[in-house]
Amino acid sequence: MSDMQGKVVVITGASSGIGEATARLLASQGAHVVMGARRLERLEALVSEIRAEGGSVVYQKLDVTVLEEMKRIIRLAQIKFGCIDVVINNAGVMPVSLLEVLKIDEWNRMIDVNIRGVLHGIAAGLPIMKKQGFGHFINVASTGAYEVTPTASVYCATKYAVRAITDGLRQEVGSDIRVTLVSPGVTESELAESITDEDARQMMKEYRRNALPALAIAQAISYAIQQPANVDVNELVIRPTSA
Ligand code: NDP
């Protein structure tokens, strides 16, 4: 039996890219998957495909910037499957540009989704995990949590923040709850589609030429989950070999 069998896993941002690949992989390994995102038609189609393969999956509309919606999807997981083993705070946006272009709304959106979204996942999941006496947070950061690249100052700042929050959480929660930071390098997904600045878009196109398949990140997440309960994989950084 796989160590994924029967685990209840909530995934934010499951409608495309890394979240979608993770939902597919974990369901195929026997997890009960609870998917959240804003694009419901994507989630509906994905649910049908996963169920056709024999997977156990439910979904709910989720905007991670709204704490109440995050609490609601955690409640759904409890009601449907009885507990929560893992919360994967994966949802993120990356509308990068030079600071001097002053795309202030986009800075704020990155802060809201990438930082507040992760904090909302923790706020919704932590009290329940503490009560259960077990749980696992997996927060998706980026190699941008370790180095800043041109046009990506605010995006990287949000990912540095996710790394800081994740490390702080790990130190606070002690032995019952595991905490893992997963930091992908460039990976195939729809992330770059949120870039509205033409120069940044061109730069990113070059940069993203050697992207990893999203499955590579899903496999790293699966590895962290499948370790014995007393093994906490603290950080995984996954880059293409060419990077
Ligand atoms: P995608 O754009 O393919 O996926 C992002 C997901 O986040 C989508 O499912 C989207 O769903 C969801 N999302 C965006 N805003 C919200 C919101 N407010 N509430 C809920 N869900 C939201 O990109 P990736 O798969 O690449 O991104 C996943 C994570 O990986 C992000 O945190 C990203 O920063 C990180 N990452 C990605 C890298 C890459 O090269 N691809 C590299 C390093 C890190 P919907 O729009 O339906 O709500």
Side-chain angles (χ1 to χ4, degrees):
M1 194 170 74
S2 137
D3 288 330
M4 190 65 73
Q5 196 66 43
K7 290 246 164 84
V8 180
V9 183
V10 177
I11 307 176
T12 74
S15 59
S16 63
I18 292 167
E20 174 185 341
T22 304
R24 287 183 193 277
L25 179 67
L26 270 46
S28 76
Q29 293 174 331
H32 299 298
V33 175
V34 181
M35 305 191 300
R38 294 163 308 166
R39 289 171 296 175
L40 292 185
E41 68 295 344
R42 291 288 196 98
L43 293 180
E44 276 158 21
L46 190 51
V47 159
S48 304
E49 285 181 42
I50 291 174
R51 285 190 184 150
E53 300 280 316
S56 168
V57 64
V58 294
Y59 74 96
Q60 187 160 287
K61 190 242 167 197
L62 171 67
D63 182 338
V64 294
T65 67
V66 181
L67 176 60
E68 202 39 56
E69 293 196 12
M70 196 66 223
K71 286 184 176 169
R72 227 180 292 145
I73 198 166
I74 296 283
R75 270 200 297 276
L76 174 72
Q78 282 186 297
I79 291 164
K80 288 276 179 191
F81 302 117
C83 69
I84 299 154
D85 291 288
V86 188
V87 173
I88 305 176
N89 288 309
N90 164 73
V93 291
M94 191 191 65
V96 290
S97 58
L98 292 174
L99 287 169
E100 67 183 20
V101 184
L102 298 182
K103 290 201 177 252
I104 295 161
D105 288 348
E106 295 185 348
W107 301 348
N108 287 336
R109 192 149 64 86
M110 284 188 273
I111 291 166
D112 282 344
V113 177
N114 300 2
I115 304 179
R116 286 207 178 86
V118 170
L119 288 170
H120 287 165
I122 293 167
L126 188 56
I128 289 152
M129 289 184 188
K130 287 186 92 159
K131 207 180 280 177
Q132 293 175 166
F134 62 88
H136 190 172
F137 286 104
I138 299 182
N139 296 337
V140 178
S142 166
T143 50
Y146 302 83
E147 68 222 351
V148 180
T149 44
T151 74
S153 316
V154 178
Y155 177 74
C156 293
T158 67
K159 295 303 187 176
Y160 271 72
V162 171
R163 185 170 156 223
I165 291 161
T166 306
D167 195 44
L169 178 66
R170 182 183 61 75
Q171 292 176 43
E172 283 182 27
V173 292
S175 57
D176 295 336
I177 298 168
R178 301 191 292 176
V179 182
T180 301
L181 185 77
V182 172
S183 290
V186 59
T187 303
E188 286 164 7
S189 78
E190 298 173 17
L191 195 65
E193 289 174 21
S194 62
I195 304 172
T196 59
D197 182 78
E198 199 40 49
D199 293 342
R201 196 179 252 278
Q202 282 312 322
M203 241 174 101
M204 196 53 72
K205 211 180 248 173
E206 268 311 298
Y207 183 64
R208 298 184 73 79
R209 204 162 267 171
N210 295 312
L212 289 170
L215 178 62
I217 312 306
Q219 283 168 330
I221 290 171
S222 169
Y223 169 81
I225 295 172
Q226 295 205 54
Q227 298 312 299
N230 64 335
V231 176
D232 187 9
V233 178
N234 296 169
E235 289 193 18
L236 288 167
V237 182
I238 307 107
R239 288 187 173 91
T241 46
S242 58

